[in-house]
Amino acid sequence: MAHELPPLPYDYGALEPYIDAETMRFHHDNHHAAYVKNLNAAVEKHSELQSMSPEDLLRNINDVPEDVRKTVRNNGGGHVNHTMFWQIMGPNGGGEPTGAIGDAIKQTFGSFDAFKEQFNKAAAGHFGSGWSWLVRTNDGQLQVTDTLNQDSPLMEGHYPIMGNDLWEHAYYLKYQNRKVEYFDAWFNVLNWDEINKRFEQAAA
Ligand code: MN3
């Protein structure tokens, strides 16, 4: 079964003024679509990969045949990372985290502000393209981390609860070199209900 580009769960302009409609349109319709297309082309060559979810492909990346491993890593990662990215954002988002993830963040980092500072420090300190993450590690801890390119925390056995896209395509049209401004603005579009759902899935 072929992998499919999930529809954006809201209008292109729904995250204005923090993320502009043009960026969202290019990012979803072109960038994410390309990851899906390339992933499908790669798994087409190996029937045993075709029944695997994109998450399972990443969890088992070292078992993926070598001729397509890098393509699956980059494009499977791109597909899974962006699918998460659209879901954890939304209109009327932001504010303090609610529910279980709000409690867990306070417990781990001391306060939401301290967490946000650490998260955005990881984003600002990341060189080149990649992602900044809040993950649940394989031993059950919350941790801020970052990955290169489209690498997924799933490859390390960690569960990505939320992540920000540090590629220039995510912000350059509106923010140009002011990426720290984008990292800060991004917290205003977070959908904490969805992040709570992912926190539950992480523990399951
Ligand atoms: Mn992207």
Side-chain angles (χ1 to χ4, degrees), residues 27-28 31-32 35 78 81-82 85-86 130-131 150 165-170 182:
H27 200 173
H28 176 272
H31 291 279
H32 189 170
Y35 298 127
N81 292 344
H82 286 86
F85 190 59
W86 315 130
W131 290 76
Q150 293 296 350
D165 190 333
L166 311 180
W167 287 56
E168 285 188 345
H169 68 224
Y182 156 68

Side-chain angles (χ1 to χ4, degrees), residues 1-185:
M1 209 182 81
H3 301 281
E4 281 177 23
L5 178 67
L8 198 64
Y10 34 77
D11 292 340
Y12 296 110
L15 307 183
E16 298 263 12
Y18 305 109
I19 303 181
D20 58 290
E22 198 183 1
T23 295
M24 290 299 289
R25 189 183 297 274
F26 270 97
H27 200 173
H28 176 272
D29 294 6
N30 296 71
H31 291 279
H32 189 170
Y35 298 127
V36 173
K37 189 178 169 215
N38 294 337
L39 176 63
N40 280 325
V43 298
E44 208 165 85
K45 297 172 189 160
H46 295 277
S47 58
E48 75 275 20
L49 302 180
Q50 287 165 16
S51 58
M52 292 175 74
S53 71
E55 291 84 1
D56 280 342
L57 287 169
L58 297 171
R59 287 189 184 101
N60 300 290
I61 192 68
N62 292 324
D63 298 329
V64 170
E66 212 176 338
D67 65 315
V68 297
R69 191 178 302 154
K70 196 172 177 189
T71 306
V72 169
R73 176 176 173 171
N74 289 339
N75 294 279
H79 179 31
V80 169
N81 292 344
H82 286 86
T83 300
M84 170 219 66
F85 190 59
W86 315 130
Q87 285 171 350
I88 63 158
M89 301 190 295
N92 310 311
E96 294 263 333
T98 53
I101 192 64
D103 294 340
I105 283 174
K106 278 193 195 98
Q107 204 173 4
T108 305
F109 302 97
S111 67
F112 172 57
D113 285 344
F115 158 69
K116 188 177 164 185
E117 195 185 325
Q118 195 177 324
F119 189 95
N120 281 347
K121 204 173 158 188
H126 183 92
F127 188 78
S129 295
W131 290 76
S132 52
W133 300 102
L134 175 66
V135 301
R136 184 185 190 273
T137 63
N138 47 18
D139 58 356
Q141 307 296 309
L142 284 189
Q143 195 177 81
V144 167
T145 182
D146 57 305
T147 58
L148 283 171
N149 303 319
Q150 293 296 350
D151 282 357
S152 165
L154 293 170
M155 288 164 38
E156 304 293 327
H158 305 321
Y159 193 91
I161 294 169
M162 58 183 266
N164 195 6
D165 190 333
L166 311 180
W167 287 56
E168 285 188 345
H169 68 224
Y171 63 85
Y172 207 82
L173 287 179
K174 183 177 171 73
Y175 293 94
Q176 294 87 42
N177 64 326
R178 304 184 312 277
K179 64 178 183 179
V180 169
E181 213 177 291
Y182 156 68
F183 299 151
D184 211 45

